[in-house]
Amino acid sequence: MADIRTESVMVIGLGRFGSALALELTSRGTEVLGVDTNRKLVQNLSGRLPHVVVADSTDIEALRQLGIAEFRRAVVAIGTDIQASILTASLLSELEVPDIWAKAINRQHGRILSRVGAHHVVLPEHDMGERVAHLLSGRMLDYI
Ligand code: ATP
């Protein structure tokens, strides 16, 4: 496993969620390869993300050319295009990426992502709603 870029993360889909994730990881010193089909988005991010490329993650050859075999961790941060999200997660699984994270837009999407091989599924809006509820109830306790 010596060649595997254990600390590097491939972030696929650089919308609000994926770009925030990629920028935060970068600021914490993690090497990130950001991938998106949207050329303009990639150009805009290139000043802040050292490694960002235009590629279609539903194309297995494109993933191979990006060196996916060397990554231990990848995040599928595509949401609205459910077909691209599921296909990407299944290709990452087929390519035996050891740690696959995926963003789901609802529970059904999340279940399918798990079935096709995602190891961790996050539902940002649902998870953040729960977190805010915890924060609010914690604050309410302060006033009791
Ligand atoms: P967010 O809420 O994070 O902004 P979203 O849930 O609206 O995102 P999308 O807009 O579907 O999700 O996808 C996020 C990004 O993923 C977009 O920038 C889009 O260009 C990119 N994307 C979609 N399909 C692919 C693909 N096949 N390969 C690479 N990137 C893709």
Side-chain angles (χ1 to χ4, degrees):
M1 299 274 283
D3 323 328
I4 297 231
R5 295 154 81 172
T6 45
E7 291 309 318
S8 305
V9 183
M10 186 179 287
V11 177
I12 300 168
L14 299 168
R16 288 166 300 177
F17 177 82
S19 60
L21 173 72
L23 290 166
E24 182 64 22
L25 285 171
T26 301
S27 76
R28 288 168 180 259
T30 301
E31 193 183 58
V32 170
L33 175 60
V35 180
D36 203 292
T37 44
N38 184 329
R39 189 169 297 275
K40 202 162 174 207
L41 193 75
V42 165
Q43 261 167 10
N44 288 342
L45 281 167
S46 62
R48 289 183 291 158
L49 281 178
H51 311 288
V52 61
V53 293
V54 178
D56 181 354
S57 59
T58 63
D59 176 351
I60 196 164
E61 273 317 310
L63 287 174
R64 287 202 178 104
Q65 278 171 22
L66 293 175
I68 189 66
E70 294 170 27
F71 284 80
R72 221 188 81 71
R73 291 178 292 169
V75 182
V76 184
I78 305 168
T80 319
D81 187 346
I82 293 187
Q83 188 175 326
S85 151
I86 293 166
L87 187 50
T88 300
S90 74
L91 290 178
L92 295 176
S93 177
E94 189 180 326
L95 293 164
E96 298 180 343
V97 176
D99 198 20
I100 303 168
W101 291 69
K103 168 185 121 163
I105 56 169
N106 56 46
R107 287 189 185 280
Q108 192 185 21
H109 181 198
R111 275 196 293 274
I112 298 169
L113 286 167
S114 297
R115 265 187 231 133
V116 299
H119 304 105
H120 309 273
V121 173
V122 291
L123 288 114
E125 295 191 351
H126 174 268
D127 297 348
M128 188 50 80
E130 280 189 349
R131 230 182 126 199
V132 171
H134 281 294
L135 289 170
L136 282 173
S137 56
R139 289 202 175 195
M140 281 190 261
L141 283 175
D142 288 344
Y143 294 99
I144 292 175

